[in-house]
Amino acid sequence: MDFLQRQLVEPLSNLLNTHVLIYLLIGGGIYFTVRTRFIQIRYFGRMLRQLRRARHHDGGISSFQAFCVGLASRVGTGNIAGVAIALTVGGPGAVFWMWVVAAVGMATAVIEATLAQIFKVRSDDGAFRGGPAFYIERGLRSRAGGVVFAMLLVLTFSTAFNMVETNAISGVLESSHGIGVGWTTVVLAVLAAPVLFGGVRRVAQFAGSVLPVVALVYTVLALCIVAVNITELPAVVREIVGGAFGIRQMAGGFAGGVLAAMFTGVKRGLFACEAGMGSSPNIAGAATVAHPVEQGLIQALAVFVDTMVICTATAFIVLLSGPETYNPARLGAVAGASLTESAVAADLGSWTTVLMTAVVFVFAFASVLSNYVVAEANLFYLGGRRLAANVLKVVTLLSIAFGALAKLTLVWALADLTMAVMAIANLLTICLLGKWAFAALKDYHRQFAQGMTPVFVASRAGLPGVLDGDIWEPAERRQVGALPESLTLRRPVLRPSSAPAA
């Protein structure tokens, strides 16, 4: 395993992340930010209002549930363990580049979620399915491309990403409470099995009821730590900004420099917020909305909450803990989620250990469940039925066990590699299909500016091509994005289209 990691996984991951992904991710985010005229700023208030009215739905899952499931996928160990690892490897400056990824990533999230909604289909179980595989086939007219992406995503989200989450859980339970990995594995499998076999709606219900509460608890913890150390906050901000640009005297002499901070921050930022990776559109495409842009705004808000709120909370927790807990010159024994947990205990006392363990457990467990939703959507695209879905559930449970036993470095290396490949493919795709999302945004803004409640009708939206299917047509025969029974897609695979290319 060590040989495979050193000779293949890490070199390939470093190549893709440092020479391709970092420029494509930030460059694409800037492009979408400019083309949408800084939608993440202009429409931020609209995002909040849209979230408040996103609970009503007819068919599929609600927009709010999609927000929570998407947030569950984002808010996992990337927010607790990932940020701590970024601080360990890249220093405080890595946090700044995580902010950059999220800031421009909000615009990217609007585009990919809007495309997922435009090109979504409806399965024979009444649920919507959408995501990169669907818009690659329906938008780029490439079934082969969609199949490759779907296969990669099923493999990644049913194995590598779940291994990362359960590795964090087992590490925290063992280091803080002395609970053996075997017991952790059994408990995780027992808890996950009934939710997984309950289907997408069961996962959505769990995420919608549990995750917002736990995220709020964690944010309050961070605010308490900031309040206790309020006089040190300006110095921490200087460390973050200074470290991002290699100003050694401001960054506390961290030896990694600007490149280490940038590369680490971009990788961990992408893993945390998932903007551009191609995972969250699979969840966004499952929602029932009146206009595709509605879900785009919801997903952009999830990026903000994930990175600007929760990841920042973790960074402040660790950086305010003092040199006894966080010292880049002598880290190694404590890393990942255990570092964050130790930092909270250093500021607020040992009583927080149990609370932080619960937070890490819920974040990681919710991510495991939402990862399955992403994998299942792509299994459906590949033609998988009940048997295939059950096999996927078993594979997910096995990855839970293996992730709890595997080494932290190997798990993260595999996740970084597969994440980079998916992100590169998805970013190139949404750049090519961006004109569809821009047309939908223009249609949404026009209706909104006229004081109307935006409703998407494909034939009137000024799209750059003919949209297959009847989900968005005709308006008088559907209810808030729902498809009439007579037009329901009965097959779990897409039929070849004869419509002209976009």
Side-chain angles (χ1 to χ4, degrees), residues 446-495:
R446 175 183 56 79
Q447 295 186 53
F448 182 64
Q450 293 175 356
M452 303 166 58
T453 299
V455 175
F456 187 69
V457 180
S459 60
R460 305 172 191 168
L463 297 176
V466 177
L467 183 63
D468 302 344
D470 297 298
I471 286 183
W472 301 110
E473 289 281 3
E476 61 272 14
R477 297 179 60 189
R478 60 180 173 80
Q479 301 176 2
V480 194
L483 182 65
E485 182 64 25
S486 61
L487 298 177
T488 300
L489 183 66
R490 294 296 180 182
R491 298 177 61 195
V493 292
L494 298 175
R495 293 187 295 269

Side-chain angles (χ1 to χ4, degrees), residues 275-320:
M277 189 192 302
S279 54
S280 58
N282 295 275
I283 300 168
T288 303
V289 290
H291 198 288
V293 174
E294 290 182 2
Q295 197 59 36
L297 298 177
I298 290 290
Q299 295 305 116
L301 183 62
V303 172
F304 178 86
V305 172
D306 169 87
T307 303
M308 298 302 190
V309 177
I310 300 178
C311 284
T312 300
T314 299
F316 284 168
I317 286 171
V318 174
L319 292 174
L320 288 170

Side-chain angles (χ1 to χ4, degrees), residues 214-229:
V214 178
L216 179 61
V217 169
Y218 185 62
T219 304
V220 170
L221 271 179
L223 289 174
C224 291
I225 291 174
V226 170
V228 170
N229 302 279

Side-chain angles (χ1 to χ4, degrees), residues 60-61 65 69 191-210 365-366 369-370 372-373 376 393:
I61 63 175
Q65 286 176 326
V69 176
L191 291 176
V195 183
L196 291 177
F197 282 90
V200 174
R201 290 184 178 88
R202 179 76 61 84
V203 175
Q205 291 169 0
F206 174 86
S209 59
V210 176
F365 185 69
L369 299 179
S370 61
Y372 170 77
V373 173
E376 186 192 64
K393 293 180 177 71

